[in-house]
Amino acid sequence: GKWNIPNTITVKRGSDTVSKAKLTKLFKDAVVRHTKLPESMIEVPKLNLDKDLVIPSGKSLIKLSFAAGEKFRGRATAKVDIAVNNKRYRQYYISGDVKLYGTTVVVAKAVKRGERVKMEDLRLENTVISEAPPRTVTELVDAVGMEAVTELQPDTLLTESMLKSPIVVNRGDLVTIV
């Protein structure tokens, strides 16, 4: 027989595109799963991705996950595992800015050092808790009745380090031990 072989052979592979918008949605969903906060309290304003991802065509599965100790204080990095037709295709790392919204306790009026904090000294305020100082107080019950370690100025976010448990028994007091 005679073989008729062409001089050039072009092989084309089909591909699918995963848009930046879809990856942003998957990133936000992964933050929701990790923090267990409602979606309305999470914002992903920016995902550090230059262009859409191109993957081979087929049945694709994209899974995003974060490190166990991720605190989401600004920028967070997620591991992206991509499988096509039930076979591992590739692993990427993408980072994005994350804002977590929530309620924090704010000083409403000045409290002197050593005074006990009263309910009227405080107010609740919705803030970006991911940008708040570490150990920010988020519940009024955690602050009311505590003693101010320093002078608390109005409009200050309250942190645990600004408060201490009050002394209930002073030196020389008579006490009954049961």
Side-chain angles (χ1 to χ4, degrees):
K2 185 175 179 187
W3 289 70
N4 194 5
I5 301 174
N7 291 337
T8 313
I9 298 174
T10 305
V11 177
K12 292 186 177 183
R13 294 180 69 186
S15 64
D16 292 330
T17 302
V18 182
S19 70
K20 188 174 177 180
K22 181 176 181 176
L23 280 169
T24 302
K25 173 74 171 121
L26 291 171
F27 192 91
K28 185 175 182 179
D29 291 345
V31 174
V32 168
R33 280 193 313 276
H34 192 85
T35 62
K36 296 177 179 49
L37 289 172
E39 190 174 337
S40 61
M41 295 176 74
I42 299 169
E43 183 183 344
V44 180
K46 182 181 177 193
L47 195 66
N48 290 344
L49 190 65
D50 295 335
K51 55 187 177 188
D52 297 340
L53 289 180
V54 178
I55 60 173
S57 41
K59 184 181 174 193
S60 62
L61 175 66
I62 303 171
K63 181 182 172 193
L64 277 77
S65 58
F66 294 98
E70 180 64 62
K71 300 281 188 219
F72 299 104
R73 293 211 163 270
R75 174 139 319 159
T77 301
K79 180 172 74 169
V80 182
D81 289 305
I82 301 173
V84 178
N85 296 328
N86 295 324
K87 291 184 182 176
R88 183 171 184 237
Y89 168 65
R90 189 170 247 167
Q91 186 178 69
Y92 292 99
Y93 286 90
I94 57 173
S95 62
D97 297 335
V98 178
K99 289 186 177 185
L100 304 178
Y101 292 90
T103 306
T104 56
V105 178
V106 177
V107 179
K109 59 184 185 179
V111 178
K112 291 184 178 158
R113 179 179 177 210
E115 282 185 6
R116 286 200 183 184
V117 178
K118 298 181 284 297
M119 185 70 84
E120 57 268 12
D121 297 332
L122 308 171
R123 72 174 188 273
L124 291 175
E125 197 172 278
N126 288 326
T127 58
V128 181
I129 57 174
S130 56
E131 295 173 1
R135 300 177 48 166
T136 298
V137 179
T138 58
E139 301 288 332
L140 288 170
V141 294
D142 295 336
V144 174
M146 299 293 277
E147 187 177 306
V149 173
T150 61
E151 188 169 328
L152 304 177
Q153 298 298 323
D155 300 322
T156 304
L157 276 176
L158 198 59
T159 62
E160 292 174 13
S161 63
M162 297 174 176
L163 305 170
K164 71 176 186 176
S165 296
I167 297 173
V168 204
V169 179
N170 294 311
R171 175 178 271 170
D173 286 350
L174 292 175
V175 294
T176 304
I177 299 175
V178 179

